[in-house]
């Protein structure tokens, strides 16, 4: 009786100590999301949370240009990285199915035949037609945790696909707006080249009339050639950006049909939502969490390795041979075997494996927290960039208005001999620079919208 009690106590202790092995992953309470959004204007430095998250809005509501929408749809259908991500999801799904089927017994048919001849005897033919089955009984969660681990890998592949999708949408939109920016800069620079060309013609006429010197004409020609050179460079950039966008769409470099910068829609208000939504919306954050879940299940598998494993095998079929004795007809046979293996001493490998798994789980948790902080940084940066570019555009418009007046005034003063050609050149160059800067700042504001949309997990669907 005492012996039975000891056995029962040992079994009860093993079961109680292995309870953690069967527990599914839960997000740690130590993960912090509070205050990770930084307000771009508030002195408290913490953004007031909004329940509305623009990441939950369809990308078609953010990017309303029909030509851009067509390019994004083409990219989602043809981009190589996107297609590879879809295939990786299929791979992980197949492995998950295999992991779930590991709970079932395996069944194999293994027919065998032999011919035996001994001295002074004839040939004896023997055969065996067995069906062999084996089943690993999952007493302490080895197969359970392996299956759960494979599920996290499958989910990781899905989130990776979402990340590629989001990055592709943002990449196409950014490249598209860069093209529109260059188009507008080419347009402004072309107009400036025409103005400078007319200035050269007018100054040559004034030189012939003895109103100015050859030095003034040469100076104007030099500026004309400088701006003409910058126009050539801008057109080169247009061609290169078109080529880059073509590659994103998985097609040969070619001209890209597009709209105009002035016709683009910009949301009046950006909505980041509550920080907790990042944990569910950002694919990279979800990937980091799935890495933590996988490390958790790896630790559980390391714990389960300390407990016994039970395997059951069975063989059934027909045979006409037993050793060298052959009987006809064949007879039905059946054999079953159960084996229990309890680790006792493995040179410290099991303990070392458990310690390593716990350390990797801790590292995965720190990486998860870091991914959340990085996401908060990207949201904060995008909000501040949007706020800053809005303010910069106000200043750009004021600057351009003043410089346009300055050009008009200097021209009038020059015609009345109260100013020099250098003042006209300086005013015109300043105006060109301000106009190009305004275009660049306008695109930066659009990129801030794209960055925030991606930062809060937009483009998943």
């Amino acid at each position: 009786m005492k012996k039975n009690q000891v056995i029962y106590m040992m079994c009860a202790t093993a079961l109680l100590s292995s309870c953690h092995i069967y527990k599914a992953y839960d997000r740690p309470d130590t993960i912090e999301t509070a205050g990770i959004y930084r307000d771009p204007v508030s002195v408290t430095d913490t953004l007031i949370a909004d329940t509305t998250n623009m990441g939950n809005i369809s990308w078609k509501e953010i990017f309303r240009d029909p030509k851009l929408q067509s390019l994004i749809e083409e990219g989602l259908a043809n981009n190589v990285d996107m297609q590879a991500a879809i295939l990786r999801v299929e791979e992980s799904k197949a492995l998950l199915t295999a992991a779930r089927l590991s709970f079932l017994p395996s069944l194999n048919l293994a027919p065998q035949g032999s011919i035996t001849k001994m001295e002074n005897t004839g040939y004896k033919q023997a055969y065996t037609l067995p069906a062999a089955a084996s089943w690993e009984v999952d007493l302490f969660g080895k197969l359970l945790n392996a299956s759960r681990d494979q599920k996290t890998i499958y989910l990781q592949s899905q989130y990776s696909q979402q990340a590629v999708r989001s990055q592709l949408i943002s990449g196409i939109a950014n490249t598209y707006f860069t093209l529109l920016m260059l188009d507008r800069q080419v347009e402004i620079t072309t107009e400036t080249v025409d103005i400078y060309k007319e200035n050269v013609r007018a100054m040559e006429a004034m030189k012939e009339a003895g109103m100015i010197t050859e030095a003034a004409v040469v100076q104007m020609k030099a500026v004309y050639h400088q701006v003409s050179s910058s126009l050539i460079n801008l057109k080169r950039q247009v061609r290169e950006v078109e080529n880059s966008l073509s590659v994103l769409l998985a097609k040969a470099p070619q001209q890209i049909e597009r709209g105009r910068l002035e016709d683009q829609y910009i949301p009046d208000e950006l909505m980041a939502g509550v920080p907790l939504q990042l944990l569910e919306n950002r694919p990279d954050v979800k990937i980091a969490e799935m890495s933590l879940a996988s490390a958790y299940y790896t630790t559980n598998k390391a714990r389960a390795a300390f407990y016994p494993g039970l395997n059951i095998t069975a063989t059934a079929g027909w045979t006409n041979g037993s050793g060298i004795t052959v009987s006809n007809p064949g007879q039905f046979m059946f054999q079953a075997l159960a084996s229990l293996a309890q680790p006792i001493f493995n040179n410290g490998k099991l303990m070392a494996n458990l310690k390593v798994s716990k350390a990797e789980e801790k590292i995965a948790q720190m990486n998860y927290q870091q991914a959340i902080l990085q996401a908060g940084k990207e949201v904060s940066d995008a909000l501040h960039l949007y706020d800053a570019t809005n303010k910069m555009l106000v200043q750009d418009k004021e600057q351009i208005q003043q410089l346009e007046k300055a050009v008009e005034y200097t021209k009038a003063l020059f015609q009345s001999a109260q100013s020099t050609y250098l003042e006209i050149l300086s005013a015109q160059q300043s105006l060109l620079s301000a106009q190009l800067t305004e275009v660049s700042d306008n695109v930066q504001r659009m990129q801030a919208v794209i960055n925030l949309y991606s930062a809060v997990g937009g483009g998943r669907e």
Side-chain angles (χ1 to χ4, degrees):
M1 186 67 181
K2 291 183 178 180
K3 183 178 179 181
N4 291 336
Q5 289 178 347
V6 171
I7 294 174
Y8 292 150
M9 290 179 62
M10 290 177 63
C11 292
T13 302
L15 288 172
L16 289 173
S17 61
S18 63
C19 286
H20 190 276
I21 294 174
Y22 301 103
K23 184 180 178 183
Y25 163 82
D26 284 325
R27 183 177 296 156
D29 297 333
T30 55
I31 296 298
E32 293 290 338
T33 61
I36 62 171
Y37 292 169
R38 187 174 182 183
D39 197 305
V41 294
S42 173
V43 294
T44 62
D45 215 29
T46 300
L47 184 69
I48 298 176
D50 189 342
T51 55
T52 304
N53 184 337
M54 67 184 298
N56 296 326
I57 302 174
S58 168
W59 60 266
K60 291 185 178 181
E61 292 296 318
I62 303 297
F63 310 118
R64 299 186 179 181
D65 186 331
K67 292 183 174 64
L68 174 56
Q69 289 183 350
S70 177
L71 291 172
I72 291 175
E73 288 175 347
E74 185 178 355
L76 292 175
N78 300 328
N79 180 265
V80 174
D81 292 336
M82 189 66 196
Q83 298 308 308
I86 293 173
L87 291 175
R88 290 191 183 97
V89 172
E90 294 299 320
E91 291 175 358
S92 297
K93 185 177 181 180
L95 293 173
L96 175 59
T97 301
R100 287 173 172 171
L101 292 175
S102 64
F103 290 96
L104 302 177
S106 62
L107 182 64
N108 297 284
L109 184 63
Q112 296 178 355
S114 67
I115 298 178
T116 304
K117 184 181 185 307
M118 300 189 67
E119 188 176 0
N120 300 323
T121 63
Y123 289 94
K124 295 182 180 180
Q125 299 177 350
Y127 67 87
T128 303
L129 298 175
S134 63
W135 180 34
E136 182 179 356
V137 183
D138 193 28
L139 292 177
F140 294 99
K142 293 179 183 178
L143 298 180
L144 175 65
N145 284 289
S147 177
R148 287 173 173 174
D149 186 16
Q150 190 59 52
K151 185 176 181 180
T152 64
I153 295 173
Y154 171 62
L155 292 175
Q156 240 180 348
S157 68
Q158 288 186 316
Y159 295 132
S160 295
Q161 179 187 343
Q162 293 176 6
V164 171
R165 178 186 174 89
S166 179
Q167 291 167 4
L168 180 60
I169 292 172
S170 300
I172 292 175
N174 266 316
T175 309
Y176 183 81
F177 289 136
T178 300
L179 262 181
L180 300 188
M181 175 191 73
L182 290 171
D183 286 345
R184 180 59 184 144
Q185 289 181 338
V186 166
E187 185 180 341
I188 292 171
T189 306
T190 300
E191 293 173 356
T192 304
V193 166
D194 292 339
I195 292 172
Y196 282 2
K197 186 176 182 180
E198 180 62 25
N199 287 348
V200 169
R201 188 199 64 78
M203 294 188 73
E204 285 178 338
M206 294 173 68
K207 172 183 170 295
E208 292 295 329
M211 299 174 62
I212 59 174
T213 65
E214 179 68 20
V217 177
V218 172
Q219 183 69 29
M220 179 57 72
K221 287 182 177 179
V223 174
Y224 165 73
H225 290 303
Q226 178 187 9
V227 178
S228 297
S229 177
S230 68
L231 178 59
I232 295 172
N233 186 52
L234 284 171
K235 290 181 178 180
R236 175 190 61 80
Q237 293 179 48
V238 169
R239 179 65 64 92
E240 291 178 354
V241 174
E242 281 184 327
N243 293 345
S244 297
L245 184 51
S246 297
V247 172
L248 272 179
L249 303 178
K251 61 184 182 181
Q254 57 192 267
Q255 185 177 2
I256 301 296
E257 186 179 355
R258 52 192 181 271
R260 291 174 54 85
L261 185 63
E262 297 81 4
D263 301 330
Q264 300 307 304
Y265 163 77
I266 297 293
D268 296 329
E269 184 179 1
L270 302 187
M271 301 160 293
V274 296
L276 191 61
Q277 290 172 325
L278 280 185
L279 303 185
E280 303 301 330
N281 290 354
R282 284 247 331 200
D284 58 334
V285 173
K286 292 298 292 183
I287 290 172
E289 183 175 15
M290 289 303 99
S291 295
L292 172 58
S294 179
Y296 171 84
Y297 291 126
T298 299
T299 301
N300 277 359
K301 286 187 287 185
R303 288 192 177 100
F306 286 90
Y307 299 103
L310 176 61
N311 287 276
I312 299 175
T313 59
T315 303
W318 284 265
T319 181
N320 73 334
S322 176
I324 61 173
T325 302
V326 177
S327 61
N328 285 297
Q331 297 180 352
F332 180 78
M333 67 171 184
F334 174 79
Q335 182 182 34
L337 174 67
S339 63
L340 185 68
Q342 168 64 56
I344 297 177
F345 179 70
N346 286 283
N347 301 322
K349 293 180 180 179
L350 296 181
M351 184 58 70
N353 189 38
L354 179 59
K355 290 181 179 179
V356 170
S357 299
K358 287 182 176 180
E360 290 296 328
E361 183 180 351
K362 186 63 177 178
I363 292 172
Q365 182 172 335
M366 292 188 293
N367 289 337
Y368 179 35
Q369 182 67 67
Q370 187 64 28
I372 296 171
L373 295 176
Q374 179 65 26
K377 170 193 175 297
E378 292 176 10
V379 172
S380 301
D381 288 347
L383 288 170
H384 191 268
L385 178 60
Y386 183 79
D387 181 70
T389 49
N390 275 333
K391 294 175 181 177
M392 290 164 62
L393 284 170
V394 172
Q395 300 302 320
D396 291 341
K397 290 184 184 342
E398 291 292 334
Q399 183 185 21
I400 289 173
Q401 290 178 1
Q402 299 304 317
L403 288 173
E404 287 175 342
K405 292 178 181 179
V407 171
E408 293 176 3
Y409 294 158
T410 52
K411 284 183 178 179
L413 290 172
F414 178 75
Q415 291 173 355
S416 62
Q418 298 181 38
S419 178
T420 66
Y421 70 94
L422 290 176
E423 292 178 344
I424 295 178
L425 281 177
S426 177
Q428 287 178 332
Q429 287 178 318
S430 297
L431 176 59
L432 173 61
S433 177
Q435 289 172 327
L436 296 178
T437 299
E438 182 193 27
V439 173
S440 178
D441 290 344
N442 198 8
V443 171
Q444 265 202 315
R445 182 175 62 163
M446 294 178 180
Q447 289 174 337
V449 175
I450 298 171
N451 293 346
L452 180 62
Y453 185 60
S454 178
V456 294
R460 302 183 309 280
E461 300 295 339

